[in-house]
């Protein structure tokens, strides 16, 4: 079956609008993706017909809301190929998932003189929580370097893994460079030394098929809003045995099994990590987003985006003075670039006037910018609804930038 991108576009009502009098060309999917009508309808239906708190009511609405929320958890479990719904913890997003692991597993297992290993292309959300932990514990953060194409140096990684290594946390797909990291191999290398690994899948889940059991990662996090779902909902996957042994993080309702002033016992998995009323609509909306993505087929989306990435790479390379940042052999749909003599923010502003939405700045990866000796990049990032014509609109708009600054 061929991928009918025009059909896909019809599912996204926001794409019908014009911006500054021009058709919207949305190329900021790494920041957040747009929502299909089915996800929007699910949220409206939930609030119109079902809204109630979950896991507590005997009344019909509460039972329905609980059922839908738990159905969504099962969809996530199947989507990631996790062994059980006990391994799927709903959180606010990738950021909260990483903080949860750092503050529970990390605090328990990382001590003075120990080391936590990350890569040089981590998003700030996979740097700062580990830095905070290391500071608190007197431990050391070690960083695997990358080459000029934006690829991890595996032999350097190997050298960093040692008896002091207590944890490894790696980004699957870089948001700034597009690099797809060989996380399967890197997990195997860590496991040979008995070190657990967290994979930050914020940018991989929307663009590649992810199988947490095939990867054998110990933890995996992603955000719903980059997967065509709502904001404020995300997932922490953890292997059951690890989650079970971990202390809870936040205390409150729903995460307990019984409370007295003397002693509290905790709820079973995954509820032990879900204190307080969660983002119920968000969870249900994420379930609808997963249905949507499954309907298109993750492999079909990946193939479409890959074709666009290759086209975009060719077309952008023809733009005078343009330098692509992130030229790894294995890449997902991210085109980061700088233009000689033009600040990325000026590129962003002129592109916006042409209706082209991209992101400019450091993309929450300041160390990557330092590594490449640049203050910022302009970044076009692809989604399931982008087209070749939109890449052409981007290059045309870049010609306008050249006119203004030429
Ligand atoms: N990890 C990676 C690789 C990311 O790209 C992001 C967000 C996060 C973690 C954090 O996700 P959150 O949903 O918890 O905020 N990346 C971007 C971006 O590239 N532009 O805006 C947000």
């Amino acid at each position: 079956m061929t991928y009918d991108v025009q059909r896909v576009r019809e599912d996204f009502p926001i794409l019908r609008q014009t911006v500054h009098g021009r058709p919207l060309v949305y190329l900021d999917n790494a920041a957040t993706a747009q929502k299909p009508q089915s996800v929007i309808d699910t949220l409206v239906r939930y609030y119109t017909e079902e809204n109630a708190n979950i896991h507590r009511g005997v009344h019909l609405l509460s039972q329905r809301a609980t059922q839908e929320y738990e159905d969504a958890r099962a969809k996530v479990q199947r989507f990631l190929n996790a062994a059980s719904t006990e391994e799927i913890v709903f959180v606010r997003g990738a950021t909260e998932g990483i903080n949860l692991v750092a503050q529970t597993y990390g605090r328990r297992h990382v001590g003075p003189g120990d080391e936590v290993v990350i890569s040089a292309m981590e998003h700030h959300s996979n740097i700062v929580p580990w830095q905070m932990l290391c500071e608190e514990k007197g431990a050391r953060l070690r960083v695997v370097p990358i080459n000029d194409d934006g690829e991890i140096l595996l032999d350097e990684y190997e050298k960093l893994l040692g008896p002091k290594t207590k944890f490894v946390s790696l980004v699957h797909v870089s948001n700034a460079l597009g690099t797809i990291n060989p996380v399967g191999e890197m997990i195997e290398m860590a496991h040979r030394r008995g070190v657990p690994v967290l994979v930050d899948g914020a940018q991989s889940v929307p663009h590649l098929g992810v199988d947490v059991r095939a990867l054998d990662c110990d933890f995996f996090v992603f955000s719903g809003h980059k997967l065509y779902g709502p904001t404020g909902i995300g997932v922490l996957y953890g292997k059951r045995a690890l989650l079970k042994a971990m202390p809870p993080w936040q205390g409150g309702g729903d995460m307990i099994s019984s409370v007295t002033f003397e002693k509290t016992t905790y709820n079973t998995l995954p509820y032990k990590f879900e204190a307080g009323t969660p983002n119920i609509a968000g969870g249900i909306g994420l379930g609808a987003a997963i249905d949507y993505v499954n309907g298109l087929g993750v492999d079909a989306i990946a193939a479409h985006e890959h074709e666009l990435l290759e086209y975009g790479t060719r077309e952008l390379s023809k733009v005078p003075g343009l330098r692509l940042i992130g030229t790894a052999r294995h890449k997902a749909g991210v085109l980061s670039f700088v233009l000689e003599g033009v600040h990325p923010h000026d590129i962003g502003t002129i592109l916006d006037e042409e209706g082209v939405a991209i992101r400019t700045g450091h993309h929450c990866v300041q160390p990557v910018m330092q590594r490449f000796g640049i203050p910022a990049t302009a970044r076009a990032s692809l989604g399931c609804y982008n087209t070749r014509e939109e890449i052409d609109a981007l290059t045309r708009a870049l010609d306008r930038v050249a006119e203004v600054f030429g």
Side-chain angles (χ1 to χ4, degrees), residues 307-337:
E307 197 270 326
L308 268 189
L309 174 70
E310 290 195 330
Y311 179 72
T313 305
R314 272 198 310 275
E315 291 304 302
L316 285 185
S317 303
K318 295 179 195 159
V319 176
L322 186 144
R323 177 180 156 216
L324 280 170
I325 305 294
T327 46
R329 265 160 304 159
H330 299 291
K331 265 189 81 171
V334 172
L335 292 156
S336 249
F337 57 92

Side-chain angles (χ1 to χ4, degrees), residues 192-232:
R192 261 182 251 137
R193 295 162 177 86
V195 180
V197 182
L198 180 148
V199 173
D200 170 1
Q203 300 291 351
S204 63
V205 149
H207 311 291
L208 317 170
V210 170
D211 179 332
V212 289
R213 275 190 283 179
L215 282 179
D216 199 26
C217 53
D218 300 279
F219 300 100
F220 186 94
V221 298
F222 74 89
S223 297
H225 68 97
K226 296 185 204 280
L227 184 66
Y228 312 104
T231 49

Side-chain angles (χ1 to χ4, degrees), residues 28 30-32 92-96 98 123 125-126 171 173-176 200 202-203 223 225-226 359 363-364 379:
D28 195 16
T32 199
R92 267 197 304 132
T95 301
E96 189 172 72
I98 296 168
H123 187 273
S125 62
N126 201 25
V171 70
V173 171
S174 159
N175 66 319
D200 170 1
Q203 300 291 351
S223 297
H225 68 97
K226 296 185 204 280
R359 183 167 171 193
H363 316 296
C364 298
R379 179 190 69 181

Side-chain angles (χ1 to χ4, degrees), residues 12 33-36 39 206 224-230 289 293 305 383-385:
F12 292 82
Q34 299 303 347
K35 319 307 171 198
V39 168
H225 68 97
K226 296 185 204 280
L227 184 66
Y228 312 104
V293 167
E305 290 177 356
C384 66
Y385 35 67

